[in-house]
Every structure is written in C-alpha cells, then in structure tokens.
Amino acid sequence: MTTITHPSAFREMPDWLFDLEEARPVALPSRPPSYLRNHRKQLQERFFDGGAQAMPDYELLELILYRALPRADVKPIAAALIDAFGDYNRVISAPLARLLEVEGITTAAAQDLKIVEAAAHRLARARVMQRPVISSWDAVLDYCHTTMSHLETEQFRVLYLDRKNILIADEEQARGTVDHVPVYPREVVKRALELNASALILVHNHPSGDPTPSDADIMMTNQIRDAAEALDIQIHDHLIIGKSTELSFRGSGYL
C-alpha cells in the first residue's frame, strides 16, 4: 500500500534533512560520452596498426591515462603533463609527488605512469644482465639512458662484472642534488669484493643534459680507480649520461 504524505508534513521536517538530500552525490554515467569513446577507439587502432612510433608523446600518455581515468577527457591532462615535464620520458620518470601536482592526475593515474617506467627499466635491464658487456655495449648504453637520462637529480650507479666481463650486478650507490652526488670510493670497492667482481663500470647522470665531466667527477673517478686497482679490480669505464648523449671517460682519454 502506498502512503501519500500530506504537504503540511514537510513544513514540520527539520532543515538538516533537506541539506542531506542536497548533499547526496549525483550518479555519474557508467560510460564516457560517445565522442570520448570514439577518440579512444581511434587512438587504440592507430597504436595497434602503427605502434608507438606513429603517435606523438601526448597521445601515448592518453592511452596510459585511460586505464586510471576511464570516464575523463584525458587529452588536456596529457598535454598538461607534457607542458610540465617536457616529453614522454620525463613524464614517466618524474617523481610521484611532482606528477600529483598536475591538475587531473589522481594517485591511481600517477601510479600507472610509474608502473610503465618500472616496466621499461626492467625490460632494458634484462637485455644486459648476465651477458658479456663487450658484445652488448649498445644495450648497456640504452639501459643507462633509459634509467638515468631523464632524472632530475644526479644518481651514481656501479655495474659489476666478473672475470669474463659478464655483468653480474647493477646497483645504485647514491643519489644527490641537481649537480652533485656523494660517492664513497671505499664503499664501491667494498661492494665489489662482496660480489667477487673483477671489473667495474661507473655510471652517473648530469640532469643539465651536458655530459662534460667536472673536476670533481675526474677526481672521484681517479680515487675509485686507485682504490680498485690496489685490489686488482679494473675500472673499465666511467659513463656520464646526458639527455641525448653520453661521455665515456675511456673514450675521452680520462682513463
């Protein structure tokens, strides 16, 4: 049986009940508007037909953002990311906190971008680990650029090799500021002994993009070389990773 409430009854209801009614969330549509669905479908088709090479950076970002923001127009969000960081690689390499500062980016969307970065690093690393460095030198350089060229602060890594020059470990030793990273030669050599490594490749990045070594870079390299050679551990090279190129200490005559 349906009960009809007399209009006079509403005059007796407290105001807070009406406030609650107005505060109830409005149900969002379960699907994005048709124009967004069509745009998304077109991007997906272009990606599968032509690959990532056929797409500008912001469209590739759109495809990633769709997963975390399925009902949003992510095109302006992708454009805002490019404006904030410069290009696709710098977007996915950006710190989580910086990503969250971009309007429209949720925690889930930022986490998806970091997952993509981690996957790229894992893939690049798999191409060099447990392989002879001499025969996979280009892959080593690609790996260093993938992991370090877009960082906003300096990072120092050491690649540890066995007697056959097979890469047995890749470890981050320190992180620093935009133009300095603290490095302790004793710790580098100590870790080499723990891993039973016979040779090292030192790697660090210059966020400025210019891989030219500073006087401090040269001094630090010499200190590590002297400490390592005293224990019969060789320094094969020291690579400085810039934005689009790298400098080899060995190739440039510093070692």
Side-chain angles (χ1 to χ4, degrees):
M1 181 177 65
T2 302
T3 302
I4 300 176
T5 304
H6 192 275
S8 62
F10 289 99
R11 291 195 296 268
E12 299 174 2
M13 295 174 67
D15 291 339
W16 62 269
L17 283 177
F18 290 100
D19 293 339
L20 282 179
E21 286 293 323
E22 294 175 358
R24 287 179 181 173
V26 178
L28 294 173
S30 58
R31 302 177 67 191
S34 59
Y35 75 91
L36 288 182
R37 296 200 304 272
N38 292 337
H39 177 62
R40 183 176 307 180
K41 182 179 179 181
Q42 290 171 0
L43 285 185
Q44 291 170 338
E45 289 174 348
R46 284 175 52 203
F47 175 77
F48 286 111
D49 289 342
Q53 295 82 0
M55 311 183 76
D57 285 358
Y58 75 90
E59 288 186 344
L60 195 57
L61 287 173
E62 285 186 67
L63 289 175
I64 299 171
L65 295 173
Y66 283 143
R67 298 181 59 83
L69 306 168
R71 289 177 288 179
D73 182 359
V74 298
K75 185 173 182 178
I77 301 175
L81 287 168
I82 296 296
D83 287 342
F85 299 104
D87 59 30
Y88 173 85
N89 291 325
R90 288 184 179 272
V91 170
I92 66 170
S93 300
L96 190 65
R98 290 281 311 280
L99 290 170
L100 291 172
E101 293 173 358
V102 177
E103 185 175 357
I105 289 294
T106 63
T107 299
Q111 289 174 340
D112 277 1
L113 291 168
K114 301 313 294 180
I115 290 171
V116 171
E117 180 195 23
H121 290 183
R122 183 70 61 89
L123 180 61
R125 191 170 189 268
R127 292 172 175 166
V128 299
M129 290 303 299
Q130 301 301 324
R131 298 188 181 186
V133 167
I134 302 303
S135 61
S136 58
W137 187 246
D138 287 344
V140 170
L141 294 179
D142 287 344
Y143 170 62
C144 292
H145 276 282
T146 298
T147 55
M148 303 177 72
S149 65
H150 303 285
L151 296 176
E152 296 181 342
T153 57
E154 286 198 13
Q155 180 188 87
F156 181 77
R157 308 182 73 87
V158 181
L159 309 182
Y160 296 93
L161 294 80
D162 67 10
R163 293 188 180 278
K164 295 181 179 180
N165 284 325
I166 291 176
L167 184 58
I168 56 175
D170 156 42
E171 296 184 356
E172 176 186 330
Q173 293 289 321
R175 292 194 180 195
T177 64
V178 294
D179 59 2
H180 173 72
V181 60
V183 178
Y184 303 98
R186 181 175 178 275
E187 295 301 317
V188 173
V189 175
K190 177 183 176 183
R191 183 59 177 154
L193 293 173
E194 292 172 350
L195 293 169
N196 197 28
S198 296
L200 311 175
I201 297 175
L202 314 176
V203 191
H204 85 280
N205 64 304
H206 279 182
S208 67
D210 180 3
T212 303
S214 65
D215 291 341
D217 292 335
I218 296 171
M219 181 182 300
M220 174 264 290
T221 304
N222 291 336
Q223 289 174 344
I224 295 177
R225 181 196 59 195
D226 293 344
E229 289 184 348
L231 298 171
D232 199 26
I233 299 171
Q234 300 300 309
I235 305 296
H236 281 341
D237 209 341
H238 182 176
L239 300 174
I240 300 182
I241 306 300
K243 182 177 181 180
S244 57
T245 187
E246 73 285 334
L247 180 138
S248 161
F249 267 56
R250 181 72 62 185
S252 299
Y254 294 106
L255 272 176

